[in-house]
Amino acid sequence: EDDAPLRIRCSPEGIAAVLDVTRTVLDMSAERVFGCANGMVFHLAVTLGYARHELSVPDGMRVQVLLWQAMQDNFMLDASVWPVKTFDVLKMFDEFPAAFSFPAVEAPALDAVTFLIPRCPQDLAAAVVRRFPGARG
């Protein structure tokens, strides 16, 4: 189904226009903040939903991060005029691979970790010792 990612249909011309806006945003995002969170969510979500393959891997990750940032301030509710709703974007966003992958922390490296807890109550100290039995007090 063509409209599965966001429940909207996009023509080839529409996708081309959205990609053009996304590439402009990618070029300018290091120098400025964009004011319309709804517009950002709309075009970034459409880009990721329908044309992620048109972006390089680093640009796709940047768009994903920009989308997350814009979603902190948007208000595209189901009763709004926006054709892409927050629910759709969140559902799609949850299916993305992580924008950044971090190596797993290995347990043997715990001896190199220092916990600094000012005014540490006894209950918290006991919980830290239970969770990290090799920790030194």
Side-chain angles (χ1 to χ4, degrees), residues 23-34 62:
R23 288 189 173 113
T24 300
V25 166
L26 284 171
D27 289 344
M28 300 173 82
S29 63
E31 300 169 3
R32 66 178 58 177
V33 175
F34 298 91
R62 285 182 58 213

Coordinates of all heavy atoms in Angstrom, one line a residue, residues 23-34 62:
R23 N 16.6 18.8 1.9 CA 18.0 19.1 1.6 C 18.4 20.5 1.9 O 19.5 20.8 2.4 CB 18.3 18.8 0.1 CG 18.3 17.3 -0.2 CD 18.7 16.9 -1.6 NE 18.8 15.5 -1.7 CZ 18.1 14.7 -2.4 NH1 17.1 15.3 -3.2 NH2 18.3 13.4 -2.5
T24 N 17.4 21.5 1.7 CA 17.7 22.9 2.1 C 17.8 22.9 3.7 O 18.7 23.6 4.2 CB 16.5 23.8 1.7 OG1 16.5 23.7 0.2 CG2 16.7 25.2 2.1
V25 N 16.9 22.3 4.4 CA 17.0 22.3 5.8 C 18.3 21.6 6.3 O 19.0 22.2 7.2 CB 15.8 21.5 6.4 CG1 16.0 21.2 7.9 CG2 14.5 22.3 6.3
L26 N 18.7 20.5 5.7 CA 20.0 19.9 6.0 C 21.2 20.9 5.8 O 22.1 21.0 6.7 CB 20.3 18.6 5.2 CG 19.5 17.4 5.7 CD1 19.6 16.3 4.6 CD2 19.9 17.0 7.1
D27 N 21.2 21.6 4.7 CA 22.2 22.6 4.5 C 22.2 23.7 5.5 O 23.3 24.2 5.8 CB 22.1 23.2 3.0 CG 22.4 22.2 2.0 OD1 23.0 21.1 2.3 OD2 22.0 22.4 0.8
M28 N 21.1 24.2 5.9 CA 21.0 25.4 6.7 C 20.9 25.0 8.2 O 21.0 26.0 9.1 CB 19.8 26.2 6.3 CG 19.8 26.6 4.9 SD 18.3 27.4 4.3 CE 18.6 29.1 5.0
S29 N 20.7 23.8 8.6 CA 20.4 23.5 10.0 C 21.6 23.7 10.9 O 21.4 23.9 12.1 CB 19.9 22.0 10.2 OG 20.9 21.1 9.8
A30 N 22.8 23.8 10.4 CA 23.9 24.0 11.3 C 24.0 25.5 11.6 O 24.7 25.9 12.6 CB 25.2 23.6 10.6
E31 N 23.3 26.4 10.9 CA 23.5 27.8 11.1 C 22.2 28.5 11.7 O 22.3 29.6 12.1 CB 23.7 28.5 9.7 CG 25.0 28.0 9.1 CD 25.1 28.5 7.6 OE1 24.2 29.2 7.2 OE2 26.1 28.1 7.0
R32 N 21.1 27.8 11.6 CA 19.9 28.4 12.1 C 18.9 27.4 12.7 O 19.0 26.2 12.4 CB 19.2 29.2 11.0 CG 18.6 28.4 9.9 CD 17.9 29.2 8.9 NE 18.9 30.2 8.3 CZ 18.6 31.0 7.4 NH1 17.5 31.0 6.8 NH2 19.5 31.9 7.0
V33 N 18.0 27.9 13.5 CA 16.9 27.1 14.0 C 15.6 27.5 13.3 O 15.4 28.6 13.0 CB 16.7 27.4 15.5 CG1 15.5 26.7 16.1 CG2 18.0 27.1 16.3
F34 N 14.8 26.5 12.9 CA 13.6 26.7 12.2 C 12.4 26.8 13.1 O 12.3 26.1 14.1 CB 13.4 25.5 11.2 CG 14.5 25.4 10.2 CD1 15.6 24.7 10.4 CD2 14.5 26.2 9.0 CE1 16.6 24.6 9.5 CE2 15.5 26.1 8.1 CZ 16.6 25.3 8.3
R62 N 20.7 12.4 10.2 CA 20.6 13.8 10.6 C 19.1 14.2 10.5 O 18.6 14.9 11.4 CB 21.4 14.7 9.7 CG 22.9 14.7 10.1 CD 23.7 15.7 9.2 NE 23.2 17.0 9.4 CZ 23.3 17.9 8.4 NH1 23.8 17.6 7.2 NH2 22.8 19.1 8.5

